[in-house]
Amino acid sequence: MTALREIKPSEGCRFIDLGSGYGRVVVSTDFQILSNPLHLEQVIENLVVNALKHTSDLVSITVKDSVIEVQDQGDGIPAEVVERLGTPFNRGPHRSGREKGSGLGLAWVQSVVVLYSWNFELRSSAGRGACAVLKFPAFES
């Protein structure tokens, strides 16, 4: 996710190659996050990779007001999977045989969120995709 580090708020919207697909990144405001940078990078990478696995369209990444949102246009996530969020080996249905995963990614995300007292929400609508929302506490420098 090195490419995300290089985007400045003044650039508005930018399309970047995310390895296995393209993302539309909109950075509206700049803010600071207190964390181990590797933890933050792993969380964002996990959310983006999950989104790319479950959509054939662009993934939108929005950074604004201490919030990062990762939105896909896939089939959505079943309610029973969302309810078990953070449980290891919690896997949703796959569109095809090409998606691979252990069901540990969102459990890792949830662990990091708890560690840093961040807020994580996963919104999903059948046929309209999913939106992962990370909200960070205000950081006083």
Side-chain angles (χ1 to χ4, degrees):
M1 295 285 91
T2 305
L4 289 180
R5 288 189 206 144
E6 299 168 1
I7 298 173
K8 307 286 186 248
S10 60
E11 294 177 338
C13 175
R14 187 164 141 189
F15 291 89
I16 61 171
D17 183 350
L18 296 169
S20 58
Y22 284 89
R24 175 179 177 265
V25 180
V26 178
V27 179
S28 301
T29 56
D30 198 7
F31 58 92
Q32 293 181 338
I33 300 167
L34 182 61
S35 75
N36 178 323
L38 292 175
H39 288 166
L40 178 62
E41 187 170 341
Q42 288 171 341
V43 165
I44 294 171
E45 182 174 356
N46 183 279
L47 297 176
V48 171
V49 168
N50 278 350
L52 287 168
K53 283 182 185 177
H54 298 285
T55 189
S56 57
D57 205 350
L58 286 174
V59 170
S60 293
I61 304 163
T62 305
V63 180
K64 180 180 181 181
D65 300 330
S66 299
V67 176
I68 297 175
E69 292 185 359
V70 179
Q71 173 77 50
D72 69 43
Q73 304 302 317
D75 296 331
I77 303 169
E80 63 272 9
V81 175
V82 174
E83 289 171 9
R84 295 189 316 263
L85 179 67
T87 304
F89 309 107
N90 178 22
R91 295 178 57 190
H94 297 296
R95 289 183 289 128
S96 69
R98 74 171 212 251
E99 293 98 351
K100 303 256 187 276
S102 62
L104 294 173
L106 290 178
W108 167 251
V109 168
Q110 189 66 28
S111 296
V112 174
V113 164
V114 169
L115 177 67
Y116 292 106
S117 300
W118 299 340
N119 187 329
F120 178 63
E121 181 181 358
L122 190 58
R123 302 178 197 145
S124 182
S125 299
R128 292 188 174 176
C131 183
V133 182
L134 275 171
K135 297 179 184 177
F136 304 95
F139 177 74
E140 301 291 329
S141 55

